[in-house]
Amino acid sequence: MPRFGRRLRLAFVTLAVAVVLVGAAGYAVVRFGPLGGVVELFADGRRSEAFRSLHERLPARSVAAGGTVWTFERDERPLPERFAFDGEERSLAGFLEASETTGLLVARDGVILHEAYAQGYDERSLATSFSLAKSVVGALVGIALERGTVRSLDDPIDAYVSELGAGGYAGVRVGDLLSMSSCVAWDEAYAGSGSDVMRLPLRLFGLRQSVVGVLRAVGRACERGSAFRYASSDALALGLVLARANGTSPAALLEEAIWRPAGMEAAAAWNTDLYGQELTHAFLGATLRDYARFGRLYLHGGSRDGVQIVPADWVAASLRPTWNPSDGPTEGFGAGLGYGALWWLPDGGEGEFLAMGIWGQFLYVHPGRRIIVVKTSTDPGFATRGPETLAAFRAVARAWGDDPATVP
């Protein structure tokens, strides 16, 4: 019995050591691998660092800058103190603090009027875009259409991505993806962790699924084109279309077709799945100045210094509403906004357009007043703060923009 007891104790000790070692190895895999970047992504106290280091935490492709930088002049000035919202005057500084702003840049065309950073950000930080990247994808689609690699918006997407010829995406057209009207059964809810969009990182980096595999499993909720249903899966599908149609990655296309000719100042990064496919619904990392240059490109109808980069007719078409504000959500993300081709379109007849992502990432352009605003944030109240943010941007545009004789 004593010898048996010693053996039993030794077995328990060996098992305990094995459990500890396996646990430690598992912790290291989670903490320092791609899944660790996902687990800590939205944690309080960690978002600021996570949102500016996703290109290091998760797999990513680089988007190199090059050529002559599209320069900004500077005319720094203090922000307006107040703005009107919901029947009262509010403090702009208070709004920026409450929405956990990490960076704010305001330019009037080629002149930076205000640039400030917080929470460890500076002019070199690659701020993650979240869904702001969708509008960049829209520009790439316009370029692909002009080049003929994407032949028509009426093409079914399985003409480019054969794997999506069955399931919820069967019969969906390229144009349906651009207008967020594929009508696939995709849950875009941001509250909690049970929706499709919130489970997506776990599926990609924990379960090691591919973008193609995720999209093949999506079902259908309604007839394609019949309703506006904002779904990040549509932008993921567009990334696959771009990759297959152009024979190159979306990051490489962005570098060759926009980043270099538009004179971006810094290299960007686009996160991918574990198999190298860009996550084109989000996860582009760039500096605030380069986001502003992208907005400036659209302010100039897709051109830089007379050189056309994004086709002018595509810029105009993508900013025409495919869905009116009454067709979209009545509360939460995107409430009260119309939608074009991967651009949000505010109501009110001022001709503004918005690219925006969760947690408070914004690119706002007011063509009539020539104002561009870029705001990055770690805002836990992002889902309901959209109308207030738009009011703040409009106040800045009114204070610093030229008097618009006409609105384009």
Side-chain angles (χ1 to χ4, degrees):
M1 288 296 292
R3 181 177 298 177
F4 176 77
R6 287 195 297 272
R7 288 178 178 175
L8 186 61
R9 285 196 298 273
L10 179 61
F12 276 119
V13 169
T14 302
L15 178 61
V17 170
V19 168
V20 170
L21 290 175
V22 169
Y27 172 80
V29 168
V30 171
R31 175 66 177 83
F32 301 108
L35 188 56
V38 171
V39 169
E40 296 184 346
L41 184 56
F42 303 126
D44 289 339
R46 297 181 182 270
R47 288 191 296 272
S48 174
E49 195 277 332
F51 287 7
R52 66 176 183 270
S53 63
L54 275 178
H55 59 292
E56 299 168 348
R57 291 169 171 244
L58 300 176
R61 291 187 189 273
S62 179
V63 180
T68 305
V69 173
W70 200 7
T71 59
F72 282 108
E73 298 177 9
R74 303 192 74 89
D75 181 16
E76 290 280 351
R77 57 187 69 185
L79 289 169
E81 293 185 358
R82 316 288 293 179
F83 70 101
F85 177 68
D86 202 21
E88 63 182 23
E89 290 289 311
R90 298 195 176 186
S91 163
L92 185 55
F95 158 75
L96 294 175
E97 182 178 358
S99 60
E100 297 189 5
T101 303
T102 57
L104 181 71
L105 186 151
V106 182
R108 185 172 60 221
D109 200 345
V111 181
I112 290 177
L113 304 176
H114 179 85
E115 184 177 14
Y117 299 94
Q119 299 190 57
Y121 280 65
D122 59 32
E123 67 276 7
R124 298 177 299 276
S125 299
L126 298 190
T128 195
S129 64
F130 290 115
S131 289
L132 189 158
K134 291 180 172 72
S135 301
V136 177
V137 171
L140 295 178
V141 172
I143 291 169
L145 282 165
E146 183 185 51
R147 295 179 176 183
T149 52
V150 173
R151 295 177 296 274
S152 170
L153 296 183
D154 293 327
D155 282 352
I157 62 175
D158 64 355
Y160 305 94
V161 189
S162 60
E163 299 96 319
L164 300 183
Y169 276 105
V172 169
R173 305 296 196 256
V174 175
D176 298 328
L177 302 179
L178 288 161
S179 60
M180 290 287 169
S181 54
S182 69
C183 276
V184 296
W186 176 270
D187 185 355
E188 191 73 15
Y190 303 119
S193 59
S195 68
D196 291 307
V197 72
M198 297 305 289
R199 288 190 291 112
L200 179 63
L202 177 62
R203 294 176 68 180
L204 295 173
F205 301 111
L207 302 180
R208 305 182 67 85
Q209 296 180 8
S210 67
V211 169
V212 171
V214 169
L215 296 185
R216 287 182 65 184
V218 173
R220 175 64 66 80
C222 54
E223 182 62 29
R224 66 159 193 88
S226 63
F228 174 76
R229 290 177 59 93
Y230 185 84
S232 286
S233 59
D234 285 1
L236 285 170
L238 275 174
L240 291 171
V241 170
L242 286 169
R244 303 289 178 85
N246 291 282
T248 188
S249 69
L253 180 62
L254 177 61
E255 176 181 309
E256 173 264 320
I258 295 179
W259 223 248
R260 288 181 179 272
M264 300 302 185
E265 183 176 0
W270 213 334
N271 289 117
T272 72
D273 66 11
L274 295 176
Y275 308 94
Q277 174 61 38
E278 286 83 348
L279 305 179
T280 45
H281 71 301
F283 297 123
L284 176 66
T287 67
L288 268 70
R289 292 176 187 173
D290 285 338
Y291 286 132
R293 287 182 175 93
F294 181 70
R296 190 180 176 192
L297 194 63
Y298 265 68
L299 180 63
H300 285 260
S303 70
R304 173 206 173 180
D305 298 332
V307 177
Q308 202 68 40
I309 295 172
V310 182
D313 57 352
W314 176 253
V315 171
S318 61
L319 300 178
R320 285 195 292 267
T322 54
W323 300 101
N324 295 314
S326 58
D327 300 313
T330 57
E331 59 183 7
F333 189 79
L337 300 176
Y339 206 73
L342 301 182
W343 285 94
W344 293 96
L345 306 176
D347 204 2
E350 295 192 39
E352 312 136 289
F353 48 95
L354 276 167
M356 64 182 191
I358 60 172
W359 295 94
Q361 324 314 316
F362 292 94
L363 169 59
Y364 165 88
V365 181
H366 193 307
R369 300 182 184 272
R370 301 187 299 127
I371 289 292
I372 302 161
V373 182
V374 183
K375 182 182 187 295
T376 56
S377 322
T378 59
D379 183 8
F382 73 91
T384 59
R385 213 186 299 274
E388 183 183 15
T389 303
L390 179 59
F393 292 166
R394 283 175 164 170
V396 171
R398 284 193 296 270
W400 288 350
D402 293 338
D403 184 24
T406 59
V407 175

